[in-house]
């Protein structure tokens, strides 16, 4: 079997779609900043004068290209890379690759978060709230810096994938099309590493996830500095996001079986997504509330919090059940679950959470994000971009999952779909 067969199917309609995604996502970051801020307000649809202000802001690159922001961002990335190497943590093997190897990964993300929180507390003790206000006030300079860094990183790993090595470089099955633009976007090499630093795994969990938390904290500090208090809406937005980030690091091992790590190459799509999209677009609710606080009534606060807690439990419990079953199907907590065995030897759950719907975890994930958007009230649809985007993302992931499983399990997948007919919500969708 050929180790790196040429890519046959190209996602996103190939190179034209890849270019459209790159231009489109960068345009969204620019537009959502220049059209949603303290001066411009935060309204849709944008009027002619508002579009003109966006265009003027984009042209004035001196306002967002900052050497100081670049320095701080590089130091942030380097700090977390240092922690990746020096902090203790179990080293576990990932899934078996096509060539039979299993790469080792350090599970010290939570320790890295602890060290970073300690360092942040030390900075706060020494300098007060000034560093947090600087981050909030220079949000866009940092966002643009992260874009440039992510693009440079993607270019590096693309060129690095052509290196001569003692053993063949393993490419992603989707990233060996021969089209430079498409392969740069989708990711040519499956697991690019610099020594023991696995760039894809590192970026998936460290700079963006922890950066998201730091941005949210900075916007909360800014709101307090400007209005004298942190609104209940700010807490409703950032506490669930904090819990999500901590949960991601707490269950760091689980990311090793996700599509991002197992299947996708590391190119511009993941580099930009990890370093720019996650921290700077997912913190939109906190950024909006920093200059436009919303004060919810007690019943509204309770309902939003209840939606957040319920949806998080659906997300976490379903994922935990799946991972427990994958690890040991005979464990007491999952051995009662019913499943079918495919011709390939895989077991597909048809009871428990995964008997309710084939992607029940996506349902919890989406409603959890919706709760965070509801914290911003109903003044503007711009703060609901996260929900709209996340819906598209999850639908695309669902499509990829379904295609992959259908190709892998064939007639067994048809049988499985008959037993678990719903995709997201039992008896509805």
């Amino acid at each position: 079997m050929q180790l790196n067969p040429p890519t046959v199917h190209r996602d996103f309609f190939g190179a034209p779609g890849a270019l459209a995604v790159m231009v489109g996502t960068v345009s969204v970051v620019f537009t959502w900043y220049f059209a949603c801020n303290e001066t411009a307000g935060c309204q849709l649809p944008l009027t002619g004068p508002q579009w003109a202000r966006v265009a003027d802001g984009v042209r004035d690159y001196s306002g967002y290209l900052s050497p100081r922001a670049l320095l701080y961002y590089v130091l942030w990335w380097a700090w977390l890379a240092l922690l990746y190497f020096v902090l203790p943590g179990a080293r576990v093997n990932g899934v078996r690759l096509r060539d039979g190897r299993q790469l080792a990964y350090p599970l010290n993300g939570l320790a890295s978060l602890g060290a970073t929180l300690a360092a942040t507390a030390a900075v706060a003790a020494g300098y007060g709230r000034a560093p947090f206000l600087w981050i909030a006030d220079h949000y866009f300079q940092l966002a643009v810096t992260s874009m440039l860094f992510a693009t440079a990183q993607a270019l590096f790993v693309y060129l690095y994938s052509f290196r001569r090595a003692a053993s063949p470089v393993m490419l992603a099955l989707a990233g060996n099309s021969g089209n430079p633009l498409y392969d740069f976007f989708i990711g040519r090499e499956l697991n690019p590493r610099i020594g023991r630093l696995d760039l894809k795994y590192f970026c998936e969990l460290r700079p963006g996830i922890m950066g998201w938390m730091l941005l949210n904290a900075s916007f909360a500090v800014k709101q307090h500095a400007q209005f004298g208090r942190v609104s209940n809406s700010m807490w409703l937005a950032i506490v669930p996001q904090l819990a999500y980030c901590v949960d991601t690091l707490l269950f760091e091992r689980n990311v090793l079986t996700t599509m991002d790590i197992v299947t996708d190459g590391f190119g511009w799509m993941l580099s930009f997504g990890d370093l720019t999209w996650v921290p700077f677009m997912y913190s939109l609710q906190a950024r909006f509330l920093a200059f436009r606080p919303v004060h919810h009534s007690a019943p509204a606060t309770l309902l939003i919090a209840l939606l957040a807690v319920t949806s998080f439990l659906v997300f976490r419990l379903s994922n935990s059940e799946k991972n427990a079953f994958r690890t040991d199907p005979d464990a007491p907590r999952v051995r009662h679950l019913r499943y079918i065995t495919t011709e390939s030897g895989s077991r597909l759950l048809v009871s428990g959470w995964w008997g309710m719907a084939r992607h029940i975890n996506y349902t919890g994930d989406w409603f959890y994000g919706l709760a965070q958007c509801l914290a911003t009230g109903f003044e503007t649809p711009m703060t609901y971009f996260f929900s709209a985007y996340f819906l598209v993302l999850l639908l695309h992931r669902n499509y990829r999952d379904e295609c992959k499983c259908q190709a892998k399990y064939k007639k067994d997948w048809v049988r499985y779909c008959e037993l678990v007919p719903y995709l997201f919500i039992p008896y509805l969708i």
Side-chain angles (χ1 to χ4, degrees):
M1 180 180 176
Q2 189 177 359
L3 179 63
N4 294 315
T7 299
V8 176
H9 172 74
R10 301 183 187 183
D11 287 330
F12 303 99
F13 304 102
L19 180 61
V21 171
M22 287 191 283
V23 173
T25 50
V26 170
S27 298
V28 165
V29 176
F30 273 78
T31 302
W32 251 249
Y33 173 73
F34 287 116
C36 184
N37 56 57
E38 294 177 70
T39 304
C42 202
Q43 295 299 322
L44 282 180
L46 298 182
T47 63
Q50 286 174 313
W51 278 115
R53 280 198 295 270
V54 171
D56 290 342
V58 172
R59 284 193 291 266
D60 184 21
Y61 59 86
S62 63
Y64 54 79
L65 293 180
S66 165
R68 188 178 179 186
L70 175 61
L71 173 63
Y72 288 160
Y73 190 85
V74 170
L75 289 174
W76 169 253
W77 195 96
W79 160 258
L80 293 173
L82 175 65
L83 297 181
Y84 178 97
F85 284 106
V86 303
L87 289 183
R91 291 187 65 82
V92 300
N93 290 330
V95 301
R96 194 169 299 279
L97 302 176
R98 298 194 304 273
D99 61 358
R101 291 182 301 141
Q102 287 181 283
L103 299 177
Y105 297 89
L107 299 182
N108 59 6
L110 200 60
S112 294
L113 174 62
T116 301
L117 290 176
T120 304
V123 170
Y127 297 93
R129 65 189 184 187
F132 302 96
L133 293 176
W134 188 92
I135 291 172
D137 291 337
H138 294 82
Y139 156 88
F140 194 61
Q141 288 93 328
L142 292 167
V144 172
T145 298
S146 75
M147 290 185 210
L148 297 175
F149 191 97
T151 302
Q153 179 176 249
L155 180 60
F156 167 76
V157 294
Y158 173 74
L159 297 175
Y160 187 61
S161 71
F162 291 96
R163 68 190 180 278
R164 292 184 178 182
S167 57
V169 174
M170 181 170 294
L171 306 182
L173 292 177
N176 192 25
S177 71
N179 183 290
L181 176 61
Y182 179 78
D183 292 345
F184 162 78
F185 167 78
I186 207 72
R188 189 168 185 269
E189 186 172 353
L190 183 62
N191 301 107
R193 290 189 161 205
I194 308 298
R196 290 190 293 111
L197 178 64
D198 188 296
L199 289 170
K200 182 168 64 170
Y201 173 69
F202 170 75
C203 290
E204 183 87 7
L205 294 175
R206 314 297 174 97
I209 292 291
M210 297 184 202
W212 181 12
M213 297 168 69
L214 181 58
L215 283 167
N216 277 349
S218 299
F219 289 129
V221 170
K222 182 175 175 64
Q223 187 192 72
H224 187 276
Q226 189 166 349
F227 298 99
R229 60 178 292 195
V230 177
S231 65
N232 58 5
S233 57
M234 180 68 83
W235 291 118
L236 286 171
I238 67 175
V239 169
Q241 293 180 354
L242 170 64
Y244 187 87
C245 294
V246 172
D247 176 84
T248 300
L249 295 168
L250 184 63
F251 294 94
E252 185 176 14
R253 181 192 297 262
N254 295 349
V255 79
L256 299 178
T257 60
T258 61
M259 184 177 290
D260 285 358
I261 299 296
V262 175
T263 305
D264 293 339
F266 188 57
W268 190 90
M269 181 177 71
L270 286 182
S271 183
F272 174 84
D274 292 339
L275 301 186
T276 300
W277 195 259
V278 167
F280 293 98
M281 289 304 295
Y282 287 15
S283 59
L284 172 63
Q285 292 81 26
R287 182 169 72 84
F288 170 79
L289 292 169
F291 64 83
R292 193 70 59 86
V294 175
H295 303 284
H296 292 292
S297 65
T301 300
L302 181 62
L303 286 173
I304 295 171
L306 185 62
L307 176 61
V309 171
T310 303
S311 53
F312 179 78
L313 288 174
V314 172
F315 167 77
R316 171 44 45 214
L317 292 176
S318 60
N319 278 325
S320 294
E321 181 183 81
K322 176 182 65 176
N323 288 311
F325 185 79
R326 281 179 174 175
T327 303
D328 182 7
D330 297 319
R333 61 175 292 197
V334 293
R335 65 186 177 193
H336 66 283
L337 297 174
R338 291 183 292 108
Y339 59 87
I340 64 171
T341 303
T342 67
E343 289 184 357
S344 65
S346 299
R347 298 176 178 182
L348 303 178
L349 287 170
V350 294
S351 68
W353 286 103
W354 298 90
M356 296 181 190
R358 301 200 293 273
H359 299 286
I360 190 75
N361 58 333
Y362 290 176
T363 304
D365 213 357
W366 187 78
F367 277 103
Y368 193 54
L370 176 63
Q372 297 155 29
C373 295
L374 288 170
T376 64
F378 300 101
E379 179 180 339
T380 172
M382 291 193 81
T383 56
Y384 286 78
F385 172 79
F386 176 76
S387 285
Y389 157 77
F390 210 46
L391 180 62
V392 173
L393 173 69
L394 294 178
L395 289 174
H396 179 254
R397 284 187 175 178
N398 169 74
Y399 170 75
R400 292 178 69 187
D401 290 345
E402 293 282 317
C403 291
K404 176 186 174 184
C405 291
Q406 191 171 25
K408 180 178 180 180
Y409 301 123
K410 300 180 176 62
K411 63 181 181 180
D412 290 319
W413 185 249
V414 176
R415 180 162 61 103
Y416 170 72
C417 291
E418 291 173 351
L419 294 170
V420 187
Y422 300 102
L423 283 172
F424 304 112
I425 302 176
Y427 306 107
L428 188 60
I429 302 176

